[in-house]
Amino acid sequence: MAAPVKMISMAPPEVEVENLSDGSVILRSPQPLGEYPNSQSAWIIKWASKTPDSTFVADRTGEGGDWRRVSYEDFLSQIKSVAQVLLNRGLSPERPVAILSDNAVDNALLLYGAMHVGIPVVPVSPAYSLMSQDFGKLKHIIELTTPGLVYVADGEKFANALRSVDFGDAEFVVSANPPAGIKSSGFEELVSTQSTGEVDQAYQKVDPDTIAKILFTSGSTGQPKGVINTQRMLCSNQQAMAQCWTFLEERPPVMVDWLPWNHTFGGNYVFNMVLRNGGTLYVDGGKPAPGLIDQTVANLKEISPTIYNNVPRGFDMLLPHLETDEDLRRSFFKDLDLIFYAAAALTQNAWERLEAVSEKSIGKRVMMLSGWGATETAPDNTLVHWPIEKAGVIGSPVPGTDIKLIPNEEKLEIRVRGPNIMPGYLKRDDLTKEAFDEDGFYCIGDAARLEDPLDPRKGIVFDGRVSENFKLSTGTWVSVGNLRTAAVAAADTVIQDAVIAGQDRDELGILVFPNIAGCRALCPDLPEDAPLDDVIANQIVQQALIDGLQLHNDNNPSSSTRITRALIMTEPANIDANEITDKGYMNQRAVLSRRADLVEQLFSDGDKTIKI
């Protein structure tokens, strides 16, 4: 028998349903949205008064690599100092602050210092400066936003980008290692400046419509789009989530988190949830990548979170450590109320392994919950706030947000409307107009369905992207999102990620991006530094892929789910070509377009094609 679930306080899963004459359905929460402040700074001020000595944010930049902790009281004082400097520099919505570096305390101080006085912030993916070869996306973002101040934590680390991109007359600010030959200011100057009444006056002018951030999202093609995030979006969304997850107000959340602040998951959901509820955020310098996951493990052994957030890839990397390291398991589960995953569905294998380590540690299953949203929605439109037994359910509408399901081909397209929705894309009125329907619903491009059409309280299930799905030559639709998840789960030792191919063809194939560590583990007789070509050509690796996909096919024999061929990629996904985001998510359309020759090879039974 399964162990009992560790229960936490949450709102009941009630949903109101409105059936429209065109066959569409609108779903909404019966809870009215409660009051929320004009800006996020109201929460900083609240906790600086109520719990001044409590740590708000901490990172590993302290002496000897120890935690550098900043209390709510000190955080408020220092962001006011930062705000004063920014006002002195004449920054404004036309000349915002750009942050190019990873999460850290200084990043947080600059981020909230600017927003405190109504100066927008442009958090930019560090990958655009450090991984890109042509800096194309960074150049586009800087040209579009025209920042007056650009911040990097380590000047030398970012020196190549600073020299290669035209930043105009923007001031460069660095926390360490000023770049040689480039004029820059030290971050210490910002936090040591004495604030004046000018800061308080500017704060009073910030209202719900004030632009807080410009977050960039890469679409399937073209350059990143600048999504305007207002204070209304950010504050209303946290209020809505708190009404669903009532346990948040019972004890302040503690999070150990790596998710980047230049994305809505880390920057809006995680950071603002900690802030809204008076919690503590420990910045995790680790990531779900070989070598860096060890830093995450070390942090989690020291700090016990109450909520742990990650993407499926992160859980895949963490699970082997949880299963084998008793000290990590004990610390991780000691205070844990909730495991939250987003951006993609957990595989059922990962779900069951997480349940098993939870049971082993505390004798109960910590709830695993999810939600659904986007950069344009600040982020959550739906949230799971009841126990679920498997991945896939993305929740029900949060208070204040309407969900509309519209018949589209063989799916239900999902659209959203509410105070958490963006006013538009920066300097792209054309894209903004295209993004909304005649009733003001944002057209996100996703598909969804009810878990139980007769009982909407059981929630909504994510059903892939409308634009990703395609038809076989027989006219049969292929649900790409669901099939990709199933394929990865079927052979996860070999497959890190996959792209589904077969549009207008008779059968389905996949381009496999290999799990390199898993493939090498299957080949203990090969040298550790054996070329990747030798590893993926190994008969054991190819047989493991065939066996996994064959088992999938046995359980999914229809033409729209049966995978008949595979080709393992030797070139990793290319960020400059939009094939992958800096968080590691595969862009189906971009990969198929850029690797059209490999798709042809896949279906022409080339030498490297693996028949299933």
Side-chain angles (χ1 to χ4, degrees), residues 234-477:
L234 306 181
C235 294
S236 69
N237 203 227
Q238 286 300 324
Q239 174 61 32
M241 287 190 284
Q243 289 179 227
C244 295
W245 288 354
T246 52
F247 70 91
L248 287 170
E249 297 192 353
E250 295 174 359
R251 69 168 172 173
V254 175
M255 300 191 194
V256 181
D257 197 272
W258 70 273
L259 293 161
W261 297 341
N262 55 280
H263 282 279
T264 193
F265 191 1
N268 290 342
Y269 165 88
V270 172
F271 212 158
N272 284 342
M273 183 174 289
V274 170
L275 175 55
R276 193 264 179 199
N277 299 288
T280 302
L281 177 60
Y282 289 90
V283 176
D284 177 15
K287 289 182 180 178
L292 293 175
I293 190 65
D294 296 329
Q295 189 171 344
T296 294
V297 169
N299 289 335
L300 288 170
K301 280 186 177 182
E302 186 175 342
I303 306 296
S304 297
T306 62
I307 299 174
Y308 189 70
N309 310 284
N310 218 324
V311 296
R313 171 62 175 157
F315 288 112
D316 289 342
M317 293 289 291
L318 185 60
L319 264 166
H321 297 274
L322 285 171
E323 289 169 335
T324 59
D325 190 328
E326 184 178 351
D327 291 339
L328 170 64
R329 194 164 55 243
R330 184 185 304 112
S331 175
F332 183 76
F333 285 103
K334 182 168 72 75
D335 297 325
L336 196 63
D337 290 327
L338 171 66
I339 294 172
F340 185 85
Y341 62 92
L346 277 178
T347 63
Q348 191 59 30
N349 175 261
W351 181 285
E352 292 171 0
R353 289 168 67 191
L354 281 167
E355 284 192 329
V357 291
S358 177
E359 291 180 25
K360 186 174 182 180
S361 181
I362 61 173
K364 294 182 179 181
R365 291 176 293 153
V366 171
M367 260 189 238
M368 288 182 280
L369 304 180
S370 190
W372 169 78
T375 307
E376 291 88 345
T377 65
D380 275 88
N381 303 303
T382 67
L383 200 62
V384 181
H385 46 100
W386 62 92
I388 53 177
E389 296 300 321
K390 58 181 173 44
V393 175
I394 57 174
S396 58
V398 298
T401 298
D402 290 345
I403 299 294
K404 181 161 65 171
L405 300 178
I406 303 171
N408 184 334
E409 301 292 350
E410 293 189 350
K411 287 184 173 287
L412 291 174
E413 180 185 347
I414 186 169
R415 299 180 181 181
V416 293
R417 181 177 63 188
N420 60 314
I421 310 301
M422 68 167 184
Y425 295 107
L426 182 68
K427 300 177 183 178
R428 291 300 306 266
D429 290 344
D430 56 333
L431 294 178
T432 299
K433 184 177 181 180
E434 293 174 2
F436 293 89
D437 68 15
E438 63 278 5
D439 296 318
F441 282 84
Y442 170 57
C443 306
I444 198 168
D446 288 344
R449 58 181 171 80
L450 290 174
E451 169 76 352
D452 181 348
L454 300 178
D455 188 358
R457 293 174 301 176
K458 292 183 179 178
I460 301 167
V461 175
F462 181 71
D463 202 19
R465 295 281 294 172
V466 173
S467 59
E468 282 185 347
N469 297 336
F470 58 80
K471 287 183 179 180
L472 295 170
S473 60
T474 59
T476 302
W477 279 99

Side-chain angles (χ1 to χ4, degrees), residues 169-234:
D169 61 353
E171 176 185 4
F172 296 137
V173 174
V174 303
S175 290
N177 300 324
I182 300 176
K183 183 180 179 181
S184 61
S185 306
F187 188 83
E188 184 60 33
E189 177 188 343
L190 275 63
V191 292
S192 61
T193 298
Q194 181 65 45
S195 66
T196 71
E198 183 183 11
V199 169
D200 295 331
Q201 292 172 9
Y203 164 68
Q204 292 297 330
K205 295 179 182 179
V206 176
D207 64 28
D209 293 319
T210 299
I211 298 174
K213 304 175 183 178
I214 306 296
L215 291 180
F216 280 84
T217 178
S218 291
S220 298
T221 59
Q223 290 288 7
K225 296 177 289 187
V227 180
I228 297 171
N229 278 215
T230 65
Q231 292 286 354
R232 182 191 315 279
M233 293 169 63
L234 306 181

Side-chain angles (χ1 to χ4, degrees), residues 127-136 139 160 164 574-576:
Y128 296 168
S129 298
L130 303 178
M131 293 174 61
S132 175
Q133 299 301 308
D134 60 11
F135 304 109
K139 291 175 181 177
N160 195 21
S164 301
N574 188 306
I575 192 170
D576 288 329

Side-chain angles (χ1 to χ4, degrees), residues 313 491-498 511-520 532-533 535-537 541 545 567-573 586 595:
R313 171 62 175 157
D492 57 2
T493 303
V494 178
I495 304 177
Q496 180 64 58
D497 214 327
L511 301 181
V512 173
F513 290 85
N515 176 348
I516 297 175
C519 290
R520 289 189 183 278
L532 180 59
D533 280 344
V535 175
I536 64 175
V541 170
L545 177 62
L567 189 63
I568 304 179
M569 302 293 96
T570 55
E571 179 200 357
M586 203 63 63
R595 305 187 189 223

